[in-house]
Amino acid sequence: MSDYDFDLFTIGAGSGGVRASRVASAHGAKVAVAEEYRVGGTCVIRGCVPKKMLVYGAHFAEDLEDAKQFGWDLEGEPSFDWIRLRDTVLGDVDRLNGLYTETLENHDVTIFHERAEITGEHEITLASGKVVTAKYILIATGAQPAVLDFPGSDLAITSNEAFHLDELPKRVMIAGGGYIANEFAGIFNEFGSKVCIVNRGDKLLRSYDEGLSDRLLKISLMKGIQFHFNTTFKSITKNDDGSLHVEMNGSEDMDVDVVMFATGRNPNVSGLGLDTVGVEQGKIGEILVDEYSKTNVDHIYAVGDVTNRVQLTPVAIREGQAFADTVFNDDPKTVSYDHIPSAVFSHPPISAVGMTEGEARNKLGNIKVFQSDFRPMKNVVAGRNERGLYKVIVDAATDKVVGIHMIGPESAEIMQGFAVAVKAGLTKADFDATVAIHPSMAEELVLLK
Ligand SMILES: Cc1cc2nc3c(=O)[nH]c(=O)nc-3n(C[C@H](O)[C@H](O)[C@H](O)COP(=O)(O)OP(=O)(O)OC[C@H]3O[C@@H](n4cnc5c(N)ncnc54)[C@H](O)[C@@H]3O)c2cc1C
């Protein structure tokens, strides 16, 4: 009989917490999880999943326009109903929330639908005042949008609120230059909003290959998205008609309907009681862990965005799985952070795996860069003047493909398979030896000369 109420208490039922809890339970542990908002966490409730549904919805704007060239006549001007899409998306989020809850319940995980705080070595206090004890504590509290601080900044929204808007804004200003900023700029722009991105620097998507971010900028400008680089906020005030007046350093004042911050995500650590037990944190509050996701306190672990290693759902899930196998199945596992593929679901999407050209030059010196700059067949027929760009980076000494970078239709779907090849360490010769699928866009990657 354990001296504790639970073998494992997980704080946060998001991507990492749900996986860790259900696997630990399957390994025989008595598990509880606390969730202060909705089971499923950021990705399912207000991140990847509803965002991707909006991306699908948005892309119809182009598909409907292009359909004419493919012989389709649509009667009258197509119109778009934001509330219908919003409610379809939120309905599916409810369904997924139910499925994740069911999964935990089917694995005999006790769910506390309330906030939790660590109040002692092995003690957790819930918002209701209930106190429980656990042998191990897993912190899987994720991250939250970073909010800028200037007069009137409370009038802005973040991605959390963007999914719930009661009407489609006519004019949207998005602060930031990362993937969330570019994805939402694309979404609102396709729906017909006038969109501008305000960025304090002069680069978009800093961790991506410059060739791709430059191409996205060019295409986004062509689509009508405005960019204000090297610009910071002074203030936001409300106009009499409810719209917002934005004063900036580096750009002219603007009136918009919505300002959305997409300026990064900070680890969710406030009020968690980390000081009570002396859990070490890094510069932005992230929880510091070893390769097994263990903090400096022997029985406290942390996975996912709260550790600020790589803020992506599949990574949080792997960390949760590795933690549960290590601690509750006597099967020590670590997560490999090499060659993690990623995507930006912009219009068109970007995807990447491995080193950018710049990183490869710095790290390896002697590299070969193969590139295809092409107009996809569908765009040619549609009369859409939008070019794709694929780059393959090869280590000249070993012939190994060390990076692939793409912008173009379906590039995220194409990348998943090619990421296997890069992760496996295949060479350019292996790519060349692979017969193309013709006609396809993906074939460009095995035909590069
Ligand atoms: C708009 C947006 C788009 C995204 N798109 C993608 C994408 O396309 N692909 C991708 O891989 N990733 C994407 N992400 C990132 C992805 O959502 C996260 O990396 C992932 O959810 C991290 O999982 P996690 O388990 O660490 O935390 P989360 O999923 O954030 O879960 C943490 C949970 O803990 C709860 N919690 C926090 N504190 C407490 C407390 N004290 N007590 C109880 N509960 C608490 C929170 O309510 C939350 O539900 C996106 C994120 C956003 C915001």
Side-chain angles (χ1 to χ4, degrees):
M1 206 37 203
S2 165
D3 294 338
Y4 304 101
D5 298 326
F6 297 99
D7 298 315
L8 170 66
F9 194 100
T10 303
I11 308 180
S15 306
V18 168
R19 174 58 69 94
S21 300
R22 82 163 166 79
V23 174
S25 183
H27 288 325
K30 189 177 175 199
V31 183
V33 60
E35 172 52 56
E36 67 172 343
Y37 185 54
R38 297 186 73 187
V39 171
T42 305
C43 178
V44 174
I45 306 295
R46 48 193 180 185
C48 346
V49 172
K51 180 241 1 231
K52 187 74 186 282
M53 292 178 194
L54 293 186
V55 168
Y56 279 131
H59 205 72
F60 277 98
E62 293 185 10
D63 290 338
L64 289 169
E65 202 178 291
D66 294 351
K68 291 172 201 148
Q69 281 299 107
F70 289 90
W72 291 90
D73 286 319
L74 305 162
E75 269 178 46
E77 272 302 297
S79 63
F80 170 67
D81 183 344
W82 160 251
I83 300 298
R84 195 168 355 132
L85 175 62
R86 182 200 67 180
D87 291 349
T88 306
V89 170
L90 295 181
D92 210 60
V93 166
D94 288 345
R95 183 182 67 83
L96 292 168
N97 171 232
L99 281 180
Y100 275 75
T101 307
E102 220 177 282
T103 300
L104 288 174
E105 286 169 353
N106 289 344
H107 282 84
D108 294 323
V109 174
T110 304
I111 309 175
F112 294 100
H113 294 276
E114 52 188 315
R115 189 172 168 76
E117 184 186 337
I118 302 172
T119 44
E121 277 280 291
H122 291 270
E123 181 188 278
I124 299 103
T125 302
L126 295 152
S128 57
K130 188 179 170 63
V131 177
V132 297
T133 58
K135 186 172 181 192
Y136 292 96
I137 297 173
L138 176 67
I139 303 167
T141 50
Q144 56 185 324
V147 174
L148 303 177
D149 188 19
F150 57 84
S153 59
D154 55 316
L155 293 168
I157 64 164
T158 66
S159 56
N160 285 350
E161 292 76 39
F163 298 106
H164 298 271
L165 291 173
D166 284 328
E167 58 184 332
L168 185 68
K170 288 197 174 64
R171 301 158 298 178
V172 190
M173 177 180 282
I174 299 177
Y179 80 96
I180 295 177
N182 281 284
E183 289 176 342
F184 274 92
I187 288 168
F188 284 121
N189 182 60
E190 300 283 321
F191 290 154
S193 304
K194 201 166 168 21
V195 179
C196 74
I197 285 191
V198 170
N199 193 10
R200 66 176 176 184
D202 60 0
K203 283 256 168 307
L204 296 177
L205 300 170
R206 269 181 302 172
S207 61
Y208 284 86
D209 191 276
E210 239 178 85
L212 273 70
S213 48
D214 286 351
R215 179 62 54 93
L216 180 65
L217 173 62
K218 202 168 152 196
I219 295 175
S220 299
L221 283 166
M222 253 162 45
K223 290 185 196 290
I225 298 174
Q226 283 180 17
F227 290 84
H228 298 274
F229 288 113
N230 301 313
T231 296
T232 55
F233 287 87
K234 257 195 220 162
S235 68
I236 306 177
T237 46
K238 212 167 199 161
N239 294 321
D240 291 343
D241 64 358
S243 64
L244 303 173
H245 183 73
V246 187
E247 276 193 80
M248 292 169 279
N249 300 303
S251 289
E252 305 259 292
D253 294 7
M254 278 182 81
D255 288 310
V256 296
D257 301 300
V258 164
V259 177
M260 174 178 151
F261 292 150
T263 40
R265 292 179 59 79
N266 293 329
N268 227 338
V269 285
S270 73
L272 255 186
L274 298 180
D275 293 343
T276 313
V277 279
V279 169
E280 269 175 22
Q281 291 169 257
K283 275 197 194 112
I284 61 161
E286 77 275 18
I287 295 178
L288 302 177
V289 289
D290 68 12
E291 58 190 322
Y292 294 102
S293 294
K294 186 159 87 173
T295 70
N296 60 310
V297 180
D298 242 5
H299 62 283
I300 301 183
Y301 288 68
V303 295
D305 284 6
V306 75
T307 62
N308 201 30
R309 284 174 282 186
V310 178
Q311 290 193 350
L312 290 173
T313 282
V315 177
I317 290 174
R318 276 175 182 255
E319 290 169 354
Q321 175 85 42
F323 155 77
D325 289 344
T326 302
V327 176
F328 295 103
N329 201 34
D330 202 16
D331 178 16
K333 278 200 184 128
T334 57
V335 173
S336 161
Y337 295 90
D338 284 342
H339 304 110
I340 294 174
S342 69
V344 181
F345 293 100
S346 42
H347 295 265
I350 283 178
S351 63
V353 67
M355 289 186 238
T356 63
E357 182 179 342
E359 283 165 354
R361 277 196 199 291
N362 287 339
K363 225 172 180 169
L364 307 173
N366 194 7
I367 61 166
K368 287 186 196 155
V369 179
F370 297 87
Q371 188 162 308
S372 173
D373 188 335
F374 66 104
R375 202 165 160 212
M377 184 198 283
K378 194 168 166 232
N379 287 354
V380 174
V381 177
R384 185 170 286 284
N385 187 17
E386 209 176 287
R387 299 181 73 80
L389 178 65
Y390 291 2
K391 285 176 78 167
V392 171
I393 318 293
V394 176
D395 180 349
T398 60
D399 196 41
K400 265 191 191 168
V401 175
V402 293
I404 302 182
H405 309 274
M406 288 188 257
I407 180 169
E410 312 298 345
S411 64
E413 302 292 340
I414 296 167
M415 181 58 86
Q416 187 67 76
F418 277 97
V420 177
V422 179
K423 178 82 183 163
L426 298 193
T427 59
K428 177 68 169 56
D430 293 318
F431 278 49
D432 295 343
T434 305
V435 174
I437 295 178
H438 182 75
S440 70
M441 293 177 287
E443 70 179 315
E444 297 292 327
L445 288 173
V446 294
L447 297 174
L448 289 166
K449 291 275 174 298

